[in-house]
Amino acid sequence: MSRRVKLTLYGLLCALCVPFVFPTWWMVTSSVKPISDIFAFPPALLPTRWDLSSYREVFAMQPFAQQYLNSLYIAAVVTAGTMAVAAMAGYAFARIRFPGQNALFVLVLIGLLIPSEVTIVPLFQMFHTAGLSDTHWPLILVPILGAPSVLATFIMRQFFITLPGELEEAARVDGLGRFGTFYRVALPLARPALGAVAIFTFLHSWNLYLEPIVYLSTPARFTLPQALTQFVDGYGSPLWNVQLAAATMTALPVLVVFVLAQRQFIEGLAHTGLKG
């Protein structure tokens, strides 16, 4: 392409990015504005006066550091557990032949069609009976064994289907069993797919909102999406500058991780076609 065409294309892409970038920019800049300037019209791209008191109030009003740690460790555990379950299940569906294999896989995929709102009441009753309500166990076990793991299993299965059968034959010649072939041959080659699974699983767990509201009642055990709704004044009205400061601290790490890992995410999805 000529230089003029490239400049035109880049200009068009920059213009198309504005509707997606501006809300995030407004959130970050408004978190350091006085509350009277947040809804000024037209909105200012930069604060006329910097006010960092809202960031101090975030930690003064709630145990925000503990809530941040809660979301971080829950998302990490869910991501690791989902990757382990999905990798083994995807390999089994892709490389091991057994009666009813396709029917069982379709049955597993049906789990994606069931909204989480349908099952949350019986799940709450089950965890409450087991004495696990107001704990983090439901937020860990349900995603690992629920719909996010089903989608991850589908991605891993589609990736493992594309692996040449000669790799397994060579592994068997070298004396590896089924698990050795999976762990030493197939799993290292599945890093792009595992990267894609890790990113969308982490984001799903990090942004989980309905389940924490149902299962958790102690502020020290809250996760970040639930904690963001608690920054209100004595009349129940939102404290916008404090909420925006908390939302900025919540969103920025995820944006940074996605920007740094987006190439691996796209590569992983590109290797998981619809073959088989």
Side-chain angles (χ1 to χ4, degrees), residues 30-40 49 51 53-54 57 233 237-244:
S30 296
S31 68
V32 293
K33 293 179 182 177
I35 194 168
S36 58
D37 295 345
I38 292 178
F39 296 105
R49 181 167 63 89
D51 183 7
S53 62
S54 56
E57 292 181 19
D233 59 18
S237 300
L239 298 171
W240 291 110
N241 57 338
V242 181
Q243 283 195 357
L244 290 171

Side-chain angles (χ1 to χ4, degrees), residues 118-230:
V118 174
T119 59
I120 195 166
V121 172
L123 284 174
F124 173 79
Q125 292 177 341
M126 181 182 70
F127 284 111
H128 181 70
T129 302
L132 297 178
S133 59
D134 198 23
T135 69
H136 293 150
W137 282 109
L139 305 182
I140 294 174
L141 296 178
V142 173
I144 292 177
L145 304 176
S149 185
V150 172
L151 180 58
T153 299
F154 174 77
I155 292 177
M156 297 305 301
R157 174 187 180 270
Q158 299 307 115
F159 181 88
F160 286 130
I161 284 177
T162 64
L163 294 181
E166 290 80 5
L167 292 175
E168 290 186 335
E169 295 177 3
R172 284 194 292 268
V173 170
D174 289 340
L176 292 178
R178 177 66 69 180
F179 184 80
T181 302
F182 163 74
Y183 184 74
R184 295 181 178 273
V185 178
L187 196 60
L189 295 174
R191 288 179 181 176
L194 287 172
V197 168
I199 291 174
F200 83 74
T201 303
F202 186 90
L203 293 179
H204 176 270
S205 178
W206 185 267
N207 295 322
L208 209 59
Y209 177 68
L210 175 62
E211 286 78 358
I213 290 179
V214 173
Y215 293 118
L216 302 178
S217 57
T218 303
R221 297 191 178 97
F222 284 178
T223 57
L224 290 177
Q226 185 180 8
L228 292 178
T229 64
Q230 306 300 312

